[in-house]
Amino acid sequence: MKIFCFQREIYRASKKEVCSPEVQERLDKLKLWVELQQGGKTSQEAAALVKCGRSTLYRWVSRLFLMGRSCLVQAKRVVKRPHAQRLRKDLRNTVFPVQLDTIELSKDTYGVRRIQFSAVDPVTRQGAMQVYPRASASNGADFLRHVKQTMPWLCGIQVDGGTEFMGDFEKACQQAQIPLYVLPPRSPKLNGHVECFNRTCRYEFYNQQESLQDLETLRRQLKQFETTYNTIRPHQDLEQKTPYETIQKMFPNKRAAVS
């Protein structure tokens, strides 16, 4: 494998400010390795002089090429969140925010793409859902209004890092003074209640739908399913009671909307 053509790319990558010290060290070794070979050394001899395995050096060169002739490690994009925060570990057993998530309804299965925004209160198991054409922050803000109406007692909202829960959605939470908690990366178990709720929606509602084309009809049917889920369907975790029965007992002065 000839690597001389990468000399310019190595020099260019070494000047990028986004490189970490570890990556800069690798680039320096690659640059020296190339220069030694240009001076007449074999690749094996040059690798021994830079004190690095030849296979490792070739792997670094391949990564440099595959990443578009740029730095081996790209700087992570830092997204500023004016309102969102992490829920501290020591509060996870005392603070129970409403869990939000989205599910995509595949084009291949239904012939049209739809996105369902879902919300579940982990204490009462009260659920809320609404379907939209796309997963946007403005649709998330619209769904937030429905969540506040359905669960007026909510003490906060918990979401993953999806862009649909940024922008307009985050501003809406801030304006309503609702705490917004963002999950750590790769931690779906912390959103387990809404994940289970999404599966229920797929099996008990969407599997019965022949088409999702008519959005208004779909929303009316989904509203009926939401009412059934909250007021008629018993839940094993609630000792075969419905979420609405649990709400009447726990929050007699803050009953959820059921219609």
Side-chain angles (χ1 to χ4, degrees), residues 5-212:
C5 61
F6 290 101
Q7 184 179 18
R8 182 177 60 182
E9 283 70 25
I10 293 171
Y11 275 95
R12 184 182 301 168
S14 66
K15 295 179 181 180
K16 289 184 176 291
E17 296 181 356
V18 297
C19 294
S20 66
E22 180 182 1
V23 172
Q24 186 63 52
E25 181 182 358
R26 293 181 180 183
L27 289 169
D28 291 340
K29 289 184 177 181
L30 281 174
K31 182 169 65 174
L32 178 58
W33 185 49
V34 171
E35 291 174 347
L36 288 171
Q37 291 181 73
Q38 289 178 332
K41 299 291 184 181
T42 66
S43 62
Q44 185 65 43
E45 293 171 341
L49 289 172
V50 300
K51 298 181 180 180
C52 189
R54 188 173 61 167
S55 60
T56 299
L57 292 164
Y58 276 123
R59 185 170 67 251
W60 292 349
V61 169
S62 298
R63 289 179 182 175
L64 183 64
F65 175 75
L66 291 174
M67 297 184 71
R69 296 183 177 182
S70 61
C71 189
L72 295 179
V73 175
Q74 298 291 336
K76 292 184 178 180
R77 180 185 177 189
V78 178
V79 179
K80 294 183 178 180
R81 306 295 299 267
H83 181 60
Q85 57 184 310
R86 290 266 193 265
L87 180 61
R88 300 202 320 263
K89 290 183 178 181
D90 60 312
L91 296 179
R92 288 177 184 171
N93 293 325
T94 57
V95 177
F96 302 99
V98 172
Q99 300 178 7
L100 265 67
D101 195 16
T102 59
I103 53 175
E104 180 175 348
L105 308 174
S106 172
K107 294 180 180 179
D108 297 334
T109 304
Y110 302 105
V112 63
R113 183 175 183 266
R114 300 298 186 200
I115 299 293
Q116 176 177 298
F117 280 77
S118 309
V120 171
D121 175 24
V123 178
T124 65
R125 301 299 196 272
Q126 177 84 356
M129 69 283 274
Q130 185 58 278
V131 64
Y132 296 90
R134 60 187 180 277
S136 66
S138 59
N139 286 335
D142 180 78
F143 179 64
L144 179 63
R145 288 190 286 270
H146 178 56
V147 175
K148 289 192 297 182
Q149 180 183 7
T150 307
M151 309 172 198
W153 60 85
L154 64 86
C155 63
I157 289 177
Q158 178 173 284
V159 298
D160 59 23
T163 56
E164 65 270 25
F165 299 123
M166 300 179 183
D168 291 344
F169 177 85
E170 186 167 351
K171 290 178 183 177
C173 290
Q174 187 173 21
Q175 291 173 356
Q177 298 182 343
I178 300 174
L180 178 60
Y181 303 105
V182 180
L183 292 171
R186 298 179 294 279
S187 55
K189 290 183 179 180
L190 297 179
N191 241 15
H193 293 293
V194 72
E195 295 283 352
C196 181
F197 179 66
N198 285 339
R199 289 194 298 271
T200 300
C201 292
R202 285 189 182 276
Y203 295 147
E204 298 185 13
F205 180 75
Y206 289 108
N207 282 355
Q208 314 302 322
Q209 303 300 312
E210 296 182 358
S211 173
L212 304 182

